[in-house]
Amino acid sequence: MPLLAGKLGVVFGVANKRSIAWTIAQAWAREGAKLAFTYQGERLKENVEELAGTFGADTLILPCDVTKDREIAGVFRTVSEKFGKLHLLLHSVAFAPKDALEGEFVNTSREAFGMAHDVSAYSLVACARAAEPLMEARAGGSIVTMTYLGGERAVPHYNVMGVAKATLDSSVKYLAWDLGQKDIRINAVSAGPVRTLAARSIAGFPTMEEIVEQRSPLH
Ligand code: NAP
């Protein structure tokens, strides 16, 4: 019996076939989960429709800019209407202005700092809050977000995104405390460098890849 047979999930963060969210969604679907997807803006709609459509023409695909409470509410309202409950939530979303990922962290503007934290960390809190009643209705669930080592240690060029990841990591712990009482688990997966759209904005990304290749046990 597949591990996730009968489970219902929603996936935030597929931009294209290289997205970490897409790889996770494929694994979840392979294990039997039925999934809904969100996309940010018309620019990505076609990509996500094409990818998510491989799970069936009736796959639920909804717009959501995670900085907009109204759009988050819309996603969970529709998921509630179509699924009635929810077992899985993948939050694989992050953003910082490109110029904040170059040069020195000390030069981060107030605007870039706020935006990185809003998109990359607060959005997890907002999505978890919206998912909670749907997961509770099913007596539990699992929320997964994506983090990176740059939240624990200073990694050259990762700058404000590292600080946002530290906020994300801490939010995971506080959310775990609140939601654990309702049998909702929340975990952050810390990925190594993966060549995706988001990774392109990070200056020095090839150096990160080289270091991981040299030092990680599986090279
Ligand atoms: P990706 O394919 O570019 O995915 C990032 C996603 O975030 C995109 O779908 C992007 O949409 C979305 N996003 C950005 N701002 C948004 C907003 N306001 N509302 C809704 N969605 C928004 O890159 P990825 O590497 O797979 O990133 C997924 C997660 O993994 C991120 O949290 C990232 O920090 C984390 N991570 C990545 C690596 C790596 O090396 N790639 C390593 C560790 C952790 P747009 O394209 O429209 O902005």
Side-chain angles (χ1 to χ4, degrees):
M1 172 110 152
L3 279 173
L4 300 176
K7 303 287 185 196
L8 300 164
V10 60
V11 173
F12 288 76
V14 175
N16 59 33
K17 66 176 189 327
R18 291 178 190 273
S19 297
I20 293 175
W22 178 238
T23 304
I24 294 174
Q26 285 176 294
W28 282 4
R30 219 170 26 242
E31 289 298 333
K34 183 177 167 70
L35 302 174
F37 291 83
T38 70
Y39 62 90
Q40 189 210 186
E42 288 303 303
R43 189 173 51 87
L44 289 179
K45 187 177 178 194
E46 218 173 289
N47 272 356
V48 179
E49 275 177 349
E50 198 181 318
L51 291 170
T54 58
F55 297 138
D58 62 341
T59 304
L60 194 56
I61 304 166
L62 302 161
C64 187
D65 176 339
V66 295
T67 62
K68 305 214 162 73
D69 288 335
R70 201 167 23 88
E71 295 192 14
I72 293 177
V75 168
F76 286 91
R77 196 169 45 244
T78 310
V79 166
S80 171
E81 284 162 11
K82 302 278 182 195
F83 288 176
K85 57 196 172 190
L86 192 66
H87 307 95
L88 306 164
L89 165 63
L90 176 63
H91 173 277
S92 185
V93 168
F95 178 78
K98 195 171 185 314
D99 57 5
L101 301 173
E102 295 162 350
E104 296 186 330
F105 171 67
V106 73
N107 292 324
T108 307
S109 68
R110 189 183 298 273
E111 196 191 357
F113 192 97
M115 185 175 288
H117 282 73
D118 191 9
V119 176
S120 318
Y122 180 74
S123 61
L124 176 70
V125 182
C127 288
R129 185 168 59 244
E132 183 186 325
L134 284 172
M135 289 187 165
E136 219 183 341
R138 197 50 209 106
S142 174
I143 300 174
V144 178
T145 187
M146 296 304 304
T147 190
Y148 178 63
L149 178 71
E152 286 175 52
R153 298 184 209 161
V155 171
H157 308 296
Y158 204 60
N159 294 1
V160 72
M161 188 53 80
V163 181
K165 290 300 189 195
T167 301
L168 180 77
D169 296 351
S170 185
S171 303
V172 166
K173 292 170 193 162
Y174 278 89
L175 287 169
W177 181 255
D178 287 350
L179 303 181
Q181 298 166 47
K182 292 156 188 167
D183 279 337
I184 300 169
R185 290 173 293 118
I186 176 155
N187 289 282
V189 176
S190 184
V194 183
R195 261 181 234 185
T196 63
L197 207 59
R200 270 205 231 151
S201 331
I202 304 165
F205 189 79
T207 312
M208 287 178 177
E209 286 185 305
E210 275 167 34
I211 290 173
V212 166
E213 199 176 331
Q214 287 160 15
R215 298 188 194 166
S216 68
L218 292 174
H219 303 286

